[in-house]
Amino acid sequence: MTLRYPLLCLPLLAACAGPPQADAPQACTVQRVAEVPVTLRDGFLTVPATIEDKPVTMLIDTGAERTMVTPGTVSALRLDRDRHRRTQIIGTGGSTISANAKVQSFGFGGYEVSDQSYAVGPLGPDQSEGGLVGADWLSLFDVEIDVPQHRIALYQEQGCDGRYIPWHGPYTEIQHVRPQGRALIVLPVQVAGQPITAILDSGANTTQMTETAASRLGVDEAALARDPSGLTVGVDQTNVTMHQHRFSDMVVGADEFPHVLLSVGAVQVPGADMLLGADFLRTRRVWLSYATQQVFIQRSTPAG
């Protein structure tokens, strides 16, 4: 979803024009526009929202390119299908295509948008949320995710760059790379001393690495076969076997995780090697600045 504002052009009177002036530097402003409580349920971040003025619970999913509602929500709220728009939903094991749903009103922490067209697809078999808030919606703002303090806030920034966020105490700044035409946040990380890339994915309850990336790090099929394993289910409803492999270390910004246990499997992570999941966010305060392509990370103290 992209908001565009009309450009207002006014005629200039040459007789009133003075000598050209250099543009004055724009002051950095940061304004909070919404805040909601966040709950960590079964490893997923859930928040209250409204659809058609009806209360729903939504997942916060920075790893999903599109905001999505479930078929159950479409049925319960009697949403009309948008026959002119379809969305390809890519999960960890495959993809599916579905017609969108028309949403006349979507509210989040007092901030409301109207006349939306959202993807329709199922969540996991044990998840009862009404859908997920994806990067198409989140990327319109600076997003502060503070799981230990049980809150998520949206900000509008203008004219900012560098370390401009209103935090006290030390924190890490990471420049992120966003693939062309996508709003996903891709961070440089290190695993076992080697540089790889990770999508910051709050919709994944665990950090997951592709088998291809693990192979580059020297972890072959024989090594994975010796690891404990289990099944995971993506939004495409495909079962994928994940192996729990222990690496010597993982480094994200200034944080180092020695002897880290990561899930490795035949998952699809377009444009990156792994998903940095909600297990990483659980003990951290994270500020996502889509406009300036920066991520700020601070260790947070749990709320009393």
Side-chain angles (χ1 to χ4, degrees), residues 4-41:
R4 292 186 170 87
Y5 299 92
L7 181 63
L8 180 61
C9 297
L10 299 178
L12 298 180
L13 301 179
C16 298
Q21 301 290 325
D23 292 336
Q26 187 175 15
C28 170
T29 59
V30 180
Q31 180 180 7
R32 187 173 63 190
V33 296
E35 181 173 328
V36 293
V38 63
T39 301
L40 191 64
R41 192 183 73 82

Side-chain angles (χ1 to χ4, degrees), residues 27-180:
C28 170
T29 59
V30 180
Q31 180 180 7
R32 187 173 63 190
V33 296
E35 181 173 328
V36 293
V38 63
T39 301
L40 191 64
R41 192 183 73 82
D42 297 329
F44 297 97
L45 306 186
T46 66
V47 298
T50 59
I51 294 178
E52 315 298 38
D53 297 323
K54 302 294 192 302
V56 295
T57 300
M58 303 285 284
L59 296 176
I60 294 293
D61 193 346
T62 60
E65 291 191 58
R66 296 287 180 263
T67 296
M68 186 181 80
V69 293
T70 66
T73 300
V74 172
S75 176
L77 299 183
R78 298 181 180 180
L79 302 179
D80 292 330
R81 285 300 186 106
D82 187 345
R83 301 301 177 183
H84 301 288
R85 297 186 183 180
R86 302 170 67 85
T87 299
Q88 181 182 26
I89 301 171
I90 301 175
T92 53
S95 64
T96 183
I97 297 177
S98 176
N100 284 14
K102 296 179 180 179
V103 175
Q104 301 302 318
S105 172
F106 176 74
F108 184 100
Y111 187 91
E112 188 170 306
V113 291
S114 58
D115 299 325
Q116 303 298 295
S117 179
Y118 291 150
V120 177
L123 300 176
D126 299 323
Q127 292 178 268
S128 58
E129 290 78 16
L132 59 85
V133 182
D136 58 335
W137 203 84
L138 296 171
S139 62
L140 300 175
F141 310 93
D142 272 24
V143 182
E144 183 183 22
I145 302 175
D146 193 345
V147 177
Q149 295 294 328
H150 313 300
R151 57 184 288 273
I152 290 179
L154 304 180
Y155 298 84
Q156 290 181 334
E157 66 78 27
Q158 188 172 15
C160 299
D161 199 5
R163 297 169 67 88
Y164 64 88
I165 64 175
W167 285 359
H168 300 290
Y171 58 86
T172 301
E173 172 191 356
I174 303 176
Q175 298 289 334
H176 76 264
V177 178
R178 187 165 25 167
Q180 183 68 29

Side-chain angles (χ1 to χ4, degrees), residues 279-298:
D279 51 346
F280 172 78
L281 298 171
R282 198 165 48 215
T283 58
R284 281 159 182 81
R285 185 185 192 186
V286 178
W287 183 294
L288 314 178
S289 176
Y290 291 89
T292 66
Q293 299 193 5
Q294 298 178 97
V295 173
F296 305 95
I297 302 172
Q298 183 182 63

Side-chain angles (χ1 to χ4, degrees), residues 134-284:
D136 58 335
W137 203 84
L138 296 171
S139 62
L140 300 175
F141 310 93
D142 272 24
V143 182
E144 183 183 22
I145 302 175
D146 193 345
V147 177
Q149 295 294 328
H150 313 300
R151 57 184 288 273
I152 290 179
L154 304 180
Y155 298 84
Q156 290 181 334
E157 66 78 27
Q158 188 172 15
C160 299
D161 199 5
R163 297 169 67 88
Y164 64 88
I165 64 175
W167 285 359
H168 300 290
Y171 58 86
T172 301
E173 172 191 356
I174 303 176
Q175 298 289 334
H176 76 264
V177 178
R178 187 165 25 167
Q180 183 68 29
R182 303 172 69 195
L184 304 184
I185 292 176
V186 182
L187 300 176
V189 303
Q190 285 190 5
V191 175
Q194 300 299 315
I196 63 174
T197 54
I199 293 176
L200 185 61
D201 186 1
S202 64
N205 60 350
T206 61
T207 295
Q208 303 174 9
M209 179 184 292
T210 68
E211 288 182 348
T212 301
S215 177
R216 295 205 314 267
L217 300 179
V219 181
D220 57 17
E221 292 184 5
L224 291 177
R226 295 191 293 268
D227 292 328
S229 63
L231 293 177
T232 186
V233 182
V235 294
D236 59 325
Q237 303 302 292
T238 301
N239 290 326
V240 179
T241 300
M242 303 298 295
H243 301 269
Q244 303 301 308
H245 188 82
R246 193 170 297 280
F247 292 85
S248 60
D249 68 311
M250 180 175 71
V251 179
V252 182
D255 286 337
E256 182 174 357
F257 304 85
H259 311 296
V260 65
L261 193 64
L262 302 178
S263 298
V264 179
V267 293
Q268 297 184 20
V269 186
D273 300 309
M274 62 185 292
L275 302 175
L276 192 62
D279 51 346
F280 172 78
L281 298 171
R282 198 165 48 215
T283 58
R284 281 159 182 81

